[in-house]
């Protein structure tokens, strides 16, 4: 537990990078892989049948999302203390923004649980027809996915501030901070695209460019934390 005592140490930074890695791996599995296997666009019956037939995989996806939330809590607090010396106020705002994102992610799990329950063949669900259960379960999954639209707004705020803190810290490559600060708006654009610019090819292309930029920034920063850490190490007893 000693490594949590020194926010400006390389071991502290590497531990923060490890949580980033956990988030990335769990996210790749739960947010990308599981839905690609089980979700059938615009077909509630096929989606619910797939979930019922692959309950274990769906449950693992839920567990992965829970792991993400827990790892986010650690990453949020550790990043706050890491950048508090740069600007305490901005570091706290960035932490609250990321914490808000984690809270939304946690709430999203309730809708996943509802979808799983409706896809199950239990006696008390007999009051609903199969079509009604499929529709309600699909609605719960839609509500879960809408949570992404919400948390991306908070994540935009977090990454914009974090990117600027990275630039001002002098401890990490300024390029990584710039990529995160600029690319952060890709998440905001992606959320806006769900309502305002639906199906707009140009808007989608612009959003994709910003998301590519922020991906390079986030991955680069996470790897820098995990492998190198801050340029200068400051450890006090």
């Amino acid at each position: 537990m000693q490594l949590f005592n020194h926010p400006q140490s390389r071991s502290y930074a590497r531990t923060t990078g490890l949580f980033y890695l956990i988030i990335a791996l769990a996210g790749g599995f739960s947010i990308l892989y599981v839905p690609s296997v089980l979700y059938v666009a615009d077909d509630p019956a096929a989606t619910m049948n797939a979930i019922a037939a692959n309950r274990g995989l769906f449950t693992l996806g839920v567990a992965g999302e829970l792991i993400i939330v827990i790892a986010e809590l650690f990453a949020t607090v550790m990043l706050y203390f890491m950048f508090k010396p740069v600007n305490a106020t901005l570091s706290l705002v960035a932490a609250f923004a990321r914490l808000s994102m984690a809270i939304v992610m946690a709430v999203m799990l309730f809708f996943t649980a509802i979808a799983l329950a409706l896809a199950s063949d239990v006696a008390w669900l007999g009051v609903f027809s199969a079509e009604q259960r499929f529709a309600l379960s699909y609605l719960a999954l839609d509500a879960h996915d809408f949570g992404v639209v919400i948390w991306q707004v908070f994540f935009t705020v977090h990454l914009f501030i974090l990117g600027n803190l990275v630039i001002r810290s002098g401890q990490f490559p300024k390029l990584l901070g710039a990529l995160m600060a600029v690319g952060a708006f890709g998440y905001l654009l992606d959320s806006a695209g769900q309502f305002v610019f639906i199906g707009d090819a140009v808007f989608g292309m612009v959003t994709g460019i910003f998301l590519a930029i922020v991906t390079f920034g986030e991955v680069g920063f996470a790897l820098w934390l995990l492998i190198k850490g801050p340029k200068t190490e400051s450890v006090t007893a």
Side-chain angles (χ1 to χ4, degrees):
M1 291 296 180
Q2 289 297 315
L3 60 87
F4 293 107
N5 294 338
H6 308 294
Q8 275 65 59
S9 68
R10 290 193 176 95
S11 60
Y12 186 98
R14 286 167 181 158
T15 304
T16 308
L18 177 61
F19 283 113
Y20 259 108
L21 180 61
I22 292 172
I23 292 169
L25 293 176
F29 176 75
S30 297
I31 299 175
L32 298 179
Y33 175 71
V34 173
S36 72
V37 173
L38 302 181
Y39 296 5
V40 181
D42 300 321
D43 194 334
T47 299
M48 294 311 106
N49 286 330
I51 291 175
N54 299 275
R55 187 185 181 91
L57 178 61
F58 188 79
T59 303
L60 284 175
V62 175
E65 290 191 63
L66 184 58
I67 290 173
I68 293 171
V69 173
I70 295 172
E72 284 288 357
L73 294 179
F74 277 93
T76 297
V77 175
M78 295 182 78
L79 286 170
Y80 163 69
F81 283 106
M82 188 183 299
F83 290 98
K84 183 180 178 181
V86 181
N87 188 303
T89 300
L90 290 179
S91 187
L92 185 59
V93 173
F96 272 122
R98 188 159 192 150
L99 178 60
S100 298
M101 177 192 73
I103 291 172
V104 173
M105 288 180 170
V107 172
M108 288 164 59
L109 291 174
F110 286 100
F111 294 102
T112 308
I114 292 172
L116 181 59
L118 288 167
S120 304
D121 188 17
V122 292
W124 61 268
L125 287 174
V127 296
F128 299 107
S129 68
E131 290 76 13
Q132 288 174 327
R133 288 197 353 253
F134 292 155
L136 288 172
S137 185
Y138 203 76
L139 177 61
L141 291 177
D142 275 347
H144 170 276
D145 292 344
F146 183 75
V148 177
V149 175
I150 298 172
W151 71 246
Q152 284 189 146
V153 176
F154 292 114
F155 200 42
T156 299
V157 176
H158 169 78
L159 281 180
F160 178 75
I161 297 175
L162 179 62
N164 280 280
L165 290 173
V166 168
I167 293 171
R168 296 170 59 180
S169 70
Q171 297 298 315
F172 304 96
K174 291 184 177 181
L175 176 61
L176 295 178
L179 291 175
M180 285 193 290
V182 174
F185 290 97
Y187 288 105
L188 185 62
L189 292 174
D190 188 57
S191 291
Q194 305 298 317
F195 299 98
V196 184
F197 299 97
I198 302 174
D200 190 304
V202 175
F203 186 83
M205 181 179 66
V206 173
T207 300
I209 292 173
F210 275 91
L211 288 176
I213 292 172
V214 76
T215 298
F216 280 116
E218 287 186 86
V219 172
F221 180 62
L223 291 176
W224 194 278
L225 288 174
L226 191 60
I227 299 171
K228 294 203 65 173
K231 293 179 181 178
T232 59
E233 185 174 27
S234 175
V235 178
T236 57

